Amino acid sequence: MKIERNEGEWLRSNSKVFWGEIAPNDHVVQIYEDDEVFLDLLEGFVSGGFKAGDSVVVIATAAHLNALEFRLRALNYDLIYLQTQNLYIPMNANQSLEKFMVDGWPDEKLFNQMVSGILEKARKNNRTVRAFGEMVAILWGQGFQGATVELEHLWNKFCESEAFCLFCAYPKHGFTEDAHSSLMSICCKHSKIVAGWGKPLHEISYQLVEQKKAV
């Protein structure tokens, strides 16, 4: 279930409807309580891309890549074929971080080189691209808050200039101290926020969206 803030109310819709209404340059974030909540939305994001004929890039942890693959195979997707056609491009998030992180900080030139290479491959035959990235969640979990915000900024620049939809997600347990402040620093970098949590954090996020809109 996806929940979005709109004109004073939280709107609920299933993932199929939600992803069908996403704009090409939207940058969406989900903060989730458990992997099943997260994987449900990621599955909808990826399978929706396949149905639309998009190229789908997934930069995730090995565990999440494996779990996603299991779900997609259960939906009878031929992942080997999709990968050979560059319609599905799975990448290990930890290995991807190593390509552009320098002394604990994302190097913009190296990051741009990596993402440009991915987009070039994904956009063959003028395909639309949608991407999921979990590298920010890894950095955040390691305590690199400043580097995380900088990486979100670099992603935003690519979304705006290259017109592709980006989805990222953070586990709720990464926001344990000063939740209001840390959530604000992440949420303000995104165009849409998905609520995947219980009431206490839901209320915090509700306030954050109001603050973001008022800026």
Side-chain angles (χ1 to χ4, degrees):
M1 182 69 69
K2 166 265 165 189
I3 310 175
E4 179 186 354
R5 175 81 172 153
N6 183 38
E7 295 182 355
E9 299 294 335
W10 283 95
L11 302 180
R12 296 174 180 268
S13 66
N14 61 41
S15 62
K16 180 178 179 181
V17 173
F18 176 52
W19 292 124
E21 296 175 346
I22 290 296
N25 60 346
D26 266 331
H27 188 181
V28 181
V29 63
Q30 179 189 32
I31 301 173
Y32 59 91
E33 285 188 322
D34 59 69
D35 275 9
E36 289 303 307
V37 172
F38 155 63
L39 288 167
D40 283 345
L41 199 68
L42 180 60
E43 176 190 316
F45 178 73
V46 175
S47 62
F50 293 159
K51 292 173 183 177
D54 296 349
S55 287
V56 183
V57 178
V58 178
I59 308 174
T61 64
H64 286 158
L65 286 173
N66 290 335
L68 175 63
E69 179 177 325
F70 179 82
R71 285 168 168 252
L72 295 174
R73 291 191 185 281
L75 295 174
N76 296 317
Y77 284 108
D78 186 342
L79 298 184
I80 294 177
Y81 170 79
L82 291 170
Q83 289 183 61
T84 58
Q85 299 300 310
N86 290 322
L87 286 166
Y88 178 49
I89 304 175
M91 300 176 61
N92 183 286
N94 288 286
Q95 294 174 1
S96 298
L97 276 170
E98 294 175 357
K99 296 180 180 180
F100 62 83
M101 292 295 292
V102 178
D103 296 327
W105 195 259
D107 182 282
E108 183 170 4
K109 182 178 179 180
L110 294 176
F111 173 81
N112 290 343
Q113 288 176 350
M114 186 191 79
V115 179
S116 294
I118 297 170
L119 290 180
E120 182 179 359
K121 181 191 297 185
R123 280 183 168 155
K124 289 183 178 179
N125 300 320
N126 296 316
R127 292 168 179 152
T128 300
V129 178
R130 60 176 65 188
F132 168 76
E134 199 170 11
M135 296 182 294
V136 287
I138 292 174
L139 287 179
W140 189 268
Q142 293 174 343
F144 297 114
Q145 283 85 1
T148 304
V149 174
E150 174 64 14
L151 183 52
E152 291 282 16
H153 172 67
L154 297 180
W155 274 121
N156 269 337
K157 291 174 67 174
F158 252 95
C159 288
E160 293 170 0
S161 63
E162 300 293 338
F164 69 96
C165 175
L166 177 64
F167 169 40
C168 61
Y170 294 79
K172 172 185 171 182
H173 61 73
F175 298 86
T176 55
E177 297 182 8
D178 192 14
H180 187 280
S181 176
S182 58
L183 273 171
M184 186 62 182
S185 65
I186 293 300
C187 291
C188 69
K189 296 294 183 182
H190 299 82
S191 57
K192 286 183 173 61
I193 305 166
V194 181
W197 49 75
K199 184 176 180 181
L201 194 53
H202 174 97
E203 291 176 346
I204 294 173
S205 184
Y206 183 99
Q207 296 168 5
L208 289 175
V209 176
E210 288 284 11
Q211 292 183 27
K212 178 185 174 185
K213 290 172 66 178
V215 173

